[in-house]
Structures are given as structure tokens and as C-alpha cells.
Amino acid sequence: MTAATEPPPRIATLDIVRGVAVMGILAMNIVAFAMIPAAYMNPRAYGSETVWDLAAWAFNFVFIDGKMRGLFSFLFGASLLLVIEKAEAKGESPARVHFSRMLWLLAFGLLHFYFIWYGDILTGYALVGLLAWFFRRKEPRKLLFWGVLFVLLEFALMSGFAASAHALTAAVAGPNPSPAAVESLRGMSQDIAVPAPAQLDEQMRMFLGPWWGVAYNQLTEHTFMPLFMLFVFGWETLGYMLLGMAGLRSGFLTGAWDDARYRKVALTGFAIALPVYAALAWLLHRDGFTVPAIFTWSFAGTVLVRPVAVVAIAALIILLTRHGGRLTRRIAAAGRAAFTNYLGTSILMTALFYGWGAGLFGRLSRIELWLVVLAMWALMLLWSKPWLRRFHYGPFEWLWRTLARWQWQPLRKGQSPFRAAAPE
């Protein structure tokens, strides 16, 4: 292979932060893999048997929930911009490269959502990524402005949902509630409130049943859910992608700032975000995790402080890992293979918990699920680096790149880009 066909050098800091994000996402997603959907937002819905389980929920809420997804969105925006700029530098059509990548990512996301796991984020990233193209020429200040604006739009939307939840709850609690109000509240409460025994039994039987039962439910009952989720969370996702693009161009996400500056950002961000998240966790517990409380404190209350926490976490990661080390190199490798680690996690976790696999769905409490998280983190760190020592990309990264460019890409190091390597 010539130098012209070698993959371009990577920005190590982006890989490291991405590695932490893809590992951190599992710490929150594990609840959605192992328990009924309502348990993700509401610890009273399922899986909280002891004070340790409630403590596990509180820890996730304060330190992980939404922040790893936000970090991943920041990195997605930065990587998206890098791909566009590299295509331009090589004389390729940046539009063709970008839109092809997003459309194939959309295909991966839809397959993931309908046939593997309902918690997919790839579909939303692909659709929002199509829109992010139109911001590629903007300077960091403009990107920051638009990013904040979209976060404010998300806050307005979530505040509207919270107000509706309060109004509907009051209307249903009053005398002679209208059937429309009852049905609207039922729709808002689905997958958030503590389920009725019949609903719980139905969900348990589905997830512990055959694979086709889960897929059929996704295809028939949640056909348009990706579009609904795009409407609900797309504003924030786009805002985060633009903030990530600004972070790339300003040097923040590339590690170009000095230690003192990263330290200041981290300390300031945590000083703002952690007390707010702790207060929101207390308010949720005080209000008994009711539907209005979850919409108010968890959905709306976190929107404005979450990007502050994301930036603080990114600064801390960069500060702690900039001098390298064995663990840092393994985290970076996990970040280089983040697409494979994300999809691979879905495949392994559904195989572990769903009925078509080991059938552990609903059997582990929140605190016990941390044992699974730690084991999966170890697996990510163990396989990624040895694989990338021999191969240019993770398996799914290679497939995505090959499909997006519609040309066979070299996978094994030393392999021709147009034909497989000779047998060894």
C-alpha cells in the first residue's frame, strides 16, 4: 500500500473522548437493555429493590444520563466536519462523501432500531447530520450561536411537554375528566409511569419471547418512532453537533488548549452542573417520580445545564489523558472502533437479556447491572487495540466506509485497496 492509500492520521484526542463516550453510553443504556422501557426514566417502574439501586439511579442521573449521549453528539459533529474537510483537501466531492455516509448510516440505524434494539441513536444522527451539512462553512462563533439556539428550542419544547403533563394530570384528577384528556395522559405516561400489572406482564412476555416478536412490535407499534424521536430530540442533537464543530475549529476538542484553560473549563462546568443535577435528582425523588415530575425535572430541567456538563467532562477527559499511557491508548482504540463497539454492544446485550438469547431480562437489579457494564467495558478495551494493530478500521467502520464510498476499502494493514491480500 502506498502512502496515498493509507488512511490519514487521526486526532488522538477525538478518539479518546469518543472512547469514553461509547463506554459511558452503556452505563445508561444497560437499564434499557435489561428492563422494561419505563425503568430508564423512572426507578420506581422496575429494578429498584434496595437503597443501593436508588443510589445507582442517582449516580447515573447526576454523572452519566444524557451527558455521554451529548458527548457522543459533540464528537459526531466534529468528525462529520473533519470528513468534509478531508474530502475537500483530496479533491473529492464533499457533498457526495457526506450525504452518502449519512444515508448509509440511516440504513444502519433503521436496521438497528427495527431488528436489534429500540434505543437506537444512529437514525437520528444520520437525519440530523444531513442538516449539519449546511453549517459547515460557519466560524466557531456562529456555530456556537446556532448550537445554543437549538438547545434553547429544545428547552422550549420540553417545557411545553412539562406544562402539558401538569395540565393533563390536573384535568384527569378532577371530576368527570374528558376521554380525550385521559387518553392524552395515557400516551404521555407510556414508557414513563409505573406500569399496571397487565402491561408489565405483556412487556415481560414480549422481551422474553422469540426475536421475531420484538421485531414485529417495533415494525408495527413503533413504525414512525424514529421520526417522532427526531422531532423531540433532533433540536438538541443538532445543537450539540454544531457545538462539536465549534469545538473542533476552536482547538478545544483537538487538545490544542493549555492545561490551565482545560482545568478552568472543567472546574467551572462541574461547579455549575453537578449541584443543579443533584437538586433535580432530589426533586424527582421528593415528587415520587410522577409523570409531571419526570417531564419537569428530568426532561425540561436538564436541557440547559447538560451542555455545560458535557463540555466540563470533555475538558476533564482531555486533561487527564493528554500524556498518554496504556489505558489511554486502549480507550483511544475503543473510540476508533466506536461504531463497532456501539452496534456490537447492542447485539451482545440483547443476546444476554432477551428471550432469544440468555433470557436475563428483568432478573438483575440496577446495582447488579453494573457488573455487566464493567465486563463489557473490559471487552471493549481488550479487543479494540489488538484488532486495530492489524486492521485499519473496526468491522462496522470498514463496512460503512466501503458502502458509503461504493468502493472496496482496505481492511487489513498492507492490503491493496482494490483486492484482498494474498494468503499468508
Side-chain angles (χ1 to χ4, degrees):
M1 180 182 292
T2 65
T5 61
E6 288 282 355
R10 302 182 64 93
I11 299 175
T13 303
L14 296 183
D15 290 332
I16 294 166
V17 178
R18 189 185 297 108
V20 173
V22 75
M23 293 171 64
I25 283 174
L26 174 61
M28 208 51 220
N29 284 351
I30 191 68
V31 174
F33 284 122
M35 300 179 186
I36 60 172
Y40 186 90
M41 300 300 304
N42 188 346
R44 291 182 59 226
Y46 199 90
S48 295
E49 302 169 359
T50 68
V51 66
W52 292 107
D53 296 316
L54 187 61
W57 166 82
F59 177 84
N60 275 9
F61 181 83
V62 174
F63 294 100
I64 298 174
D65 185 19
K67 303 163 194 65
M68 297 300 109
R69 174 176 55 84
L71 198 60
F72 212 62
S73 302
F74 271 54
L75 270 295
F76 190 90
S79 298
L80 178 153
L81 185 58
L82 268 179
V83 170
I84 292 172
E85 291 178 344
K86 287 179 179 178
E88 290 176 334
K90 294 190 326 189
E92 299 175 339
S93 167
R96 185 192 64 78
V97 171
H98 173 75
F99 286 101
S100 179
R101 289 180 78 248
M102 293 303 103
L103 291 175
W104 278 110
L105 183 64
L106 177 61
F108 278 109
L110 292 173
L111 289 172
H112 183 225
F113 174 79
Y114 290 117
F115 300 110
I116 300 177
W117 183 55
Y118 68 86
D120 170 72
I121 61 173
L122 302 177
T123 302
Y125 277 20
L127 293 172
V128 173
L130 294 172
L131 298 176
W133 161 266
F134 299 100
F135 295 86
R136 69 194 186 282
R137 303 277 187 206
K138 296 193 178 295
E139 297 299 317
R141 287 182 179 275
K142 290 289 185 180
L143 289 168
L144 183 63
F145 168 80
W146 283 103
V148 170
L149 178 62
F150 285 120
V151 170
L152 291 174
L153 287 174
E154 181 76 14
F155 176 69
L157 179 64
M158 290 300 171
S159 297
F161 285 151
S164 295
H166 282 280
L168 288 170
T169 300
V172 169
N176 302 317
S178 69
V182 172
E183 181 61 23
S184 295
L185 183 60
R186 187 199 67 80
M188 293 192 77
S189 302
Q190 188 175 9
D191 295 338
I192 294 178
V194 177
Q199 182 187 7
L200 174 60
D201 182 64
E202 179 183 359
Q203 291 182 346
M204 293 295 290
R205 282 189 289 106
M206 181 187 69
F207 286 111
L208 287 171
W211 167 81
W212 175 246
V214 180
Y216 181 78
N217 180 73
Q218 287 296 98
L219 289 165
T220 57
E221 299 297 323
H222 303 285
T223 309
F224 301 106
M225 183 59 70
L227 292 179
F228 174 74
M229 296 299 285
L230 177 68
F231 169 72
V232 172
F233 296 107
W235 310 102
E236 181 182 57
T237 302
L238 179 57
Y240 285 177
M241 286 187 189
L242 299 184
L243 292 175
M245 293 162 72
L248 178 73
R249 286 200 163 142
S250 68
F252 172 75
L253 286 177
T254 63
W257 293 9
D258 58 54
D259 285 4
R261 199 173 180 188
Y262 283 116
R263 192 177 299 112
K264 181 179 179 180
V265 169
L267 290 174
T268 303
F270 285 127
I272 295 171
L274 292 184
V276 173
Y277 267 99
L280 293 173
W282 178 81
L283 289 168
L284 280 164
H285 183 264
R286 182 202 66 179
D287 293 347
F289 299 96
T290 62
V291 172
I294 290 173
F295 272 100
T296 301
W297 309 124
S298 187
F299 282 106
T302 59
V303 172
L304 296 183
V305 72
R306 185 159 44 239
V308 177
V310 171
V311 172
I313 292 170
L316 181 62
I317 294 169
I318 294 169
L319 194 61
L320 293 178
T321 62
R322 67 189 316 163
H323 298 298
R326 289 185 178 182
L327 180 59
T328 296
R329 288 192 291 272
R330 288 194 174 271
I331 293 172
R336 286 181 60 189
F339 190 38
T340 297
N341 278 316
Y342 175 75
L343 290 176
T345 295
S346 291
I347 294 169
L348 289 177
M349 292 300 100
T350 51
L352 179 64
F353 291 107
Y354 285 12
W356 57 265
L360 294 180
F361 190 87
R363 295 191 181 184
L364 301 179
S365 68
R366 289 175 185 271
I367 195 67
E368 291 171 335
L369 288 176
W370 269 99
L371 297 175
V372 181
V373 171
L374 294 174
M376 192 62 202
W377 283 359
L379 181 59
M380 290 184 191
L381 295 175
L382 286 172
W383 86 270
S384 300
K385 190 171 182 291
W387 176 277
L388 291 170
R389 191 180 297 124
R390 300 191 67 185
F391 301 96
H392 290 297
Y393 317 102
F396 282 114
E397 282 81 3
W398 171 82
L399 181 59
W400 183 19
R401 186 179 178 91
T402 295
L403 291 171
R405 294 176 179 269
W406 209 240
Q407 183 183 64
W408 185 272
Q409 299 294 303
L411 179 57
R412 184 184 294 273
K413 290 185 176 180
Q415 179 181 329
S416 165
F418 303 111
R419 59 181 175 84
E424 295 181 356

